[in-house]
Amino acid sequence: MNDKYQQPDQRGHFGQHGGIYVAETLMPALDELKQEFEAAIKDPVFMAEYRHDLKHYVGRPSPIYYAERWSNAIGGAQIYLKREDLNHTGAHKVNNTIGQALLARRMGKKRVIAETGAGQHGVASATVAARYGMECVVYMGAEDVARQAPNVFRMKLLGATVVAVESGTRTLKDAMNEAMRDWVTNVDSTYYIIGTAAGPHPYPQLVRDFQVVIGEECKAQMQEMLGRQPDAVIACVGGGSNAIGIFHPYIEVPGVRLIGVEAGGDGVETGRHAAPLTSNAKAGVLHGQRSYLMHDENGQISETHSMSAGLDYPGVGPEHSYLKDIGRAEYVAINDDEAMQAFHDLCKFEGIIPALESSHALAQASKMAATMRPDEILLVNLSGRGDKDIPTIAKKLGIQL
Amino acid sequence: MSRIESVMQNLKAANRQALIPFITAGDPAPASTVGLMHALVAGGADILELGVPFSDPMADGPVIQRASERALKHNVSLRDVLAYVAEFRQTNTSTPVVLMGYANPVEAMGYEAFATAAIAAGVDGVLTVDMPPEEAEESVTVFKKHGLDPIFLLAPTTPESRVKEVARMASGYVYYVSLKGVTGSANLDVANVAEKLDFLKQYLNIPIGVGFGIRDAESAKNVAKIADAVVIGSRLVQEVEQGEAGLARRLTEFLSGVRAAMDTARV
């Protein structure tokens, strides 16, 4: 790449992806959001408050941890973990919700809404709504409400209203549909905190810019710890916010492979997965953006399969589709059973219970590490902790809690 | 002159307003759609809006969401919808048909292939809910080349700059969404809509239809006093939801009442 990487364009396009595909009623609201965001991110007072809360409320910077025992057990490359699981609320999601809640406050909005899959973004939204004194409504697919019970209760404790969405496949995409419907109805009073680097412009850019703190810290920390950058950075991709957060600062660093890990479910070859990039899905339009999208020949959105609620989504953020197109990032899929194995391994060797979403990235790291030399380095974004997944894991193991 | 344009001109000459009913294609079943289209025309429809079922109808309220779900249980596709229109055209060549739906089914078929098939079937216009002017340059060019009218939405929130952009691209008519919200929302405020229409008319030289919140003869009549066309959707889909027994007759009767009330709007 000779030209400096500068995406998206003024209208939110990342190559052929991105853009704004929403009903007319929302267009002016998105325009206003874009202008406020562009002003806020250049406003030193706004950014100082954002950084202050990341430090004192979230506990940033999150450490990088050398998973030495696990690396030795695998017997190949050395695996380092970016510990986003140690953030307040237990995942990377809060980096973004703080930024967006501050933006909502700046815009004079007293009510925030959010969609959530695994519940991590819902918890992070409910948390910041409490922190900044805002009303919060979280939309969550009814199936996810059932499989993420601890997070549902957590959101309620934090004062949020959780709405179980019964339409469609009753998962993350349906929660997003319902949040969009709420927003179009209450657009004057309400700020929509989208949880991933997807949706209509400016969301993919805005969420990325509130998540790049992950990758920026990594660059400094790796330099300090090892005097060098990793050979590859690995992160799980549903919508792709944790991945774009850690990838973005590395895009122009030569020699660092960027590897996004999608949910392979029962296996990409079975058709029961949530891996639009790995399965070479065609581009399509959903939730306000154009991007690679799992859909049938008639344009109907496909049902997805993953044991991880946070990755169970038919689309992907437009910047990932773009990074795939230009060949800067590689995308692979990890199946449910492989992610489970990595989940157990990290518990056993390192005393860390990872989120099922992050376990996909861990599984990919262990696969790659085994084929690499001991002087090579992998950096995995451990995007969240797995406490919320304990009921799912117990059920898989046939254990009654 | 397009079929929509000619219908609108004739109505204008007679000082009448267009009645535009909406139903979802394939709801409650594929076999019912063509009969229901004729029933709507018998009730006084001037233009038909036919919803293309989509798995993720983000801009629709529960009533039209359920209609989409019922149609998708029968795997009704965009190609099927075009087949219904072709069948309707065997006996009706005068009533314009507008397809209303979401971008992805059209994207999946491809703009050229879709426009060619739509014109062959006898479709007159296309309203793609989630395709604002900013992203519609390419599709509008293709649609116009084939003779399809691109219908656009305008909303209470639409500022002057965007009205101008829509005016530049739209043909046939524009659809003013009277409320912030999804389809099937509460009743509209006529005085408020009238004020907004005055603002829009400064920039548009094609007819303006008003929809969202029109549920009966009275509200249709009130809108007919100020707009060029009245769109009724969720109220009719609710009728479909009541069951197939006597459905065609019920739709005709309901629309006839609306039509009669509208025709007293400007006497």
Side-chain angles (χ1 to χ4, degrees):
Chain A
M1 262 176 293
N2 297 321
D3 301 327
K4 194 169 161 51
Y5 182 90
Q6 208 158 29
Q7 298 288 338
D9 70 15
Q10 259 304 303
R11 278 163 50 183
H13 297 108
F14 300 84
Q16 62 160 323
H17 306 285
I20 309 183
Y21 294 86
V22 298
E24 177 59 30
T25 309
L26 291 178
M27 291 299 295
L30 287 163
D31 198 42
E32 185 195 355
L33 176 60
K34 174 179 144 80
Q35 287 177 21
E36 280 289 339
F37 167 65
E38 283 170 357
I41 203 138
K42 286 184 208 125
D43 175 356
V45 177
F46 178 90
M47 289 309 288
E49 188 167 11
Y50 168 66
R51 290 200 188 95
H52 177 274
D53 273 17
L54 286 186
K55 181 175 177 189
H56 296 280
Y57 190 63
V58 177
R60 301 204 73 90
S62 65
I64 287 181
Y65 168 75
Y66 173 33
E68 189 173 8
R69 286 195 69 230
W70 191 40
S71 302
N72 288 342
I74 295 165
Q78 309 306 310
I79 300 174
Y80 287 76
L81 307 177
K82 176 62 172 170
R83 298 291 308 274
E84 292 296 301
D85 61 315
L86 295 177
N87 289 343
H88 176 45
T89 75
H92 73 290
K93 294 288 188 186
V94 73
N95 303 327
N96 168 46
T97 59
I98 284 182
Q100 291 204 54
L102 288 172
L103 206 49
R105 197 180 65 185
R106 186 185 164 98
M107 295 171 78
K109 311 280 186 187
K110 298 267 191 323
R111 178 176 183 266
V112 295
I113 58 171
E115 85 294 337
T116 197
Q120 289 303 98
H121 175 58
V123 168
S125 297
T127 298
V128 297
R131 160 85 179 80
Y132 300 114
M134 295 165 173
E135 183 193 346
C136 180
V137 178
V138 178
Y139 291 94
M140 189 167 185
E143 183 170 327
D144 294 336
V145 168
R147 59 181 165 174
Q148 302 288 344
N151 268 346
V152 175
F153 186 54
R154 218 166 266 152
M155 286 183 262
K156 288 180 180 169
L157 288 175
L158 291 161
T161 304
V162 180
V163 179
V165 177
E166 298 283 353
S167 60
T169 58
R170 305 159 86 230
T171 58
L172 178 55
K173 81 174 174 71
D174 308 288
M176 202 152 176
N177 291 340
E178 209 54 39
M180 289 260 187
R181 290 180 188 123
D182 180 314
W183 196 32
V184 81
T185 307
N186 302 295
V187 63
D188 295 332
S189 66
T190 298
Y191 183 100
Y192 179 15
I193 305 183
I194 292 186
T196 192
H201 182 61
Y203 282 103
Q205 178 184 5
L206 180 161
V207 174
R208 175 196 74 197
D209 288 354
F210 287 136
Q211 291 291 2
V212 291
V213 62
I214 304 172
E216 281 164 359
E217 285 175 5
C218 286
K219 275 169 87 173
Q221 289 166 321
M222 292 304 282
Q223 193 57 41
E224 193 181 319
M225 286 173 80
L226 301 169
R228 59 166 286 197
Q229 296 302 328
D231 296 288
V233 175
I234 303 171
C236 65
V237 177
S241 70
N242 91 79
I244 205 67
I246 196 167
F247 286 178
H248 194 262
Y250 280 106
I251 286 174
E252 293 186 294
V253 180
V256 179
R257 288 172 69 189
L258 305 177
I259 297 162
V261 186
E262 296 186 301
D266 295 343
V268 169
E269 69 289 350
T270 67
R272 293 174 51 83
H273 59 83
L277 296 171
T278 312
S279 66
N280 292 315
K282 284 191 191 166
V285 173
L286 182 70
H287 293 149
Q289 64 169 27
R290 182 194 302 276
S291 192
Y292 292 120
L293 175 67
M294 291 169 59
H295 58 129
D296 67 18
E297 72 278 9
N298 295 316
Q300 307 296 346
I301 309 308
S302 308
E303 197 167 336
T304 53
H305 297 273
S306 170
M307 69 169 172
S308 144
L311 302 182
D312 204 357
Y313 182 69
V316 62
E319 195 160 11
H320 287 295
S321 291
Y322 178 71
L323 290 172
K324 181 189 175 187
D325 284 352
I326 63 170
R328 179 61 189 94
E330 306 154 57
Y331 295 88
V332 296
I334 284 289
N335 301 347
D336 283 352
D337 55 348
E338 299 170 306
M340 272 292 268
Q341 185 59 50
F343 174 94
H344 288 300
D345 288 347
L346 206 70
C347 291
K348 182 173 140 195
F349 288 107
E350 301 293 350
I352 296 172
I353 302 177
L356 278 178
E357 289 77 17
S358 321
S359 298
H360 287 71
L362 294 166
Q364 176 62 20
S366 75
K367 251 189 194 177
M368 286 174 65
T371 69
M372 293 168 76
R373 297 190 314 267
D375 64 340
E376 291 182 298
I377 291 165
L378 296 176
L379 175 62
V380 181
N381 196 3
L382 183 51
S383 55
R385 60 175 171 247
D387 308 46
K388 69 181 174 62
D389 296 311
I390 284 169
T392 305
I393 305 284
K395 203 173 153 198
K396 279 250 173 198
L397 298 174
I399 293 166
Q400 191 138 28
L401 294 177
Chain B
M1 191 188 301
S2 79
R3 195 153 26 203
I4 294 175
E5 212 179 332
S6 115
V7 162
M8 287 295 196
Q9 278 194 5
N10 291 341
L11 285 165
K12 191 172 181 180
N15 194 30
R16 294 172 81 222
Q17 295 73 45
L19 173 55
I20 310 182
F22 167 99
I23 55 169
T24 298
D27 171 35
S32 32
T33 299
V34 176
L36 296 182
M37 290 168 77
H38 287 301
L40 294 170
V41 174
D46 298 295
I47 296 173
L48 299 177
E49 278 186 2
L50 206 50
V52 179
F54 184 50
S55 53
D56 296 76
M58 277 170 301
D60 285 298
V63 172
I64 295 179
Q65 284 175 48
R66 288 195 296 268
S68 243
E69 283 177 14
R70 284 191 295 270
L72 287 175
K73 277 203 182 112
H74 298 283
N75 294 312
V76 172
S77 68
L78 180 53
R79 286 172 203 280
D80 294 329
V81 178
L82 294 176
Y84 307 153
V85 177
E87 192 185 333
F88 172 77
R89 280 279 171 257
Q90 288 173 10
T91 49
N92 182 322
T93 55
S94 59
T95 310
V97 176
V98 172
L99 300 189
M100 181 168 179
Y102 294 81
N104 206 53
V106 175
E107 294 268 322
M109 198 166 164
Y111 298 146
E112 272 294 336
F114 165 72
T116 307
I119 283 294
V123 172
D124 299 283
V126 182
L127 198 174
T128 315
V129 177
D130 51 350
M131 185 79 92
E134 282 83 347
E135 305 291 349
E137 203 76 54
E138 190 189 337
S139 60
V140 163
T141 305
V142 174
F143 292 173
K144 283 187 172 168
K145 186 182 82 188
H146 287 269
L148 283 175
D149 283 318
I151 315 291
F152 281 91
L153 296 172
L154 291 169
T157 52
T158 306
E160 186 182 352
S161 57
R162 298 187 52 77
V163 180
K164 286 180 181 166
E165 190 60 12
V166 167
R168 184 177 71 78
M169 297 179 92
S171 65
Y173 60 96
V174 295
Y175 184 154
Y176 177 65
V177 171
S178 65
L179 300 160
K180 291 168 207 156
V182 292
T183 53
S185 305
N187 298 331
L188 60 78
D189 173 348
V190 176
N192 190 291
V193 172
E195 199 175 302
K196 195 75 192 188
L197 292 186
D198 285 338
F199 159 73
L200 297 177
K201 280 172 192 163
Q202 299 170 53
Y203 308 99
L204 291 160
N205 53 14
I206 54 174
I208 306 176
V210 173
F212 281 37
I214 301 170
R215 319 195 55 78
D216 51 27
E218 186 63 22
S219 49
K221 178 182 170 178
N222 288 334
V223 170
K225 286 177 182 166
I226 54 174
D228 303 308
V230 175
V231 187
I232 304 184
S234 293
R235 175 65 185 79
L236 295 170
V237 174
Q238 275 174 345
E239 205 63 49
V240 176
E241 203 160 41
Q242 296 301 312
E244 285 204 75
L247 177 57
R249 180 183 49 77
R250 280 185 284 130
L251 289 181
T252 303
E253 279 177 12
F254 175 80
L255 267 200
S256 301
V258 171
R259 176 82 262 174
M262 281 173 61
D263 287 343
T264 64
R266 296 198 201 176
V267 287

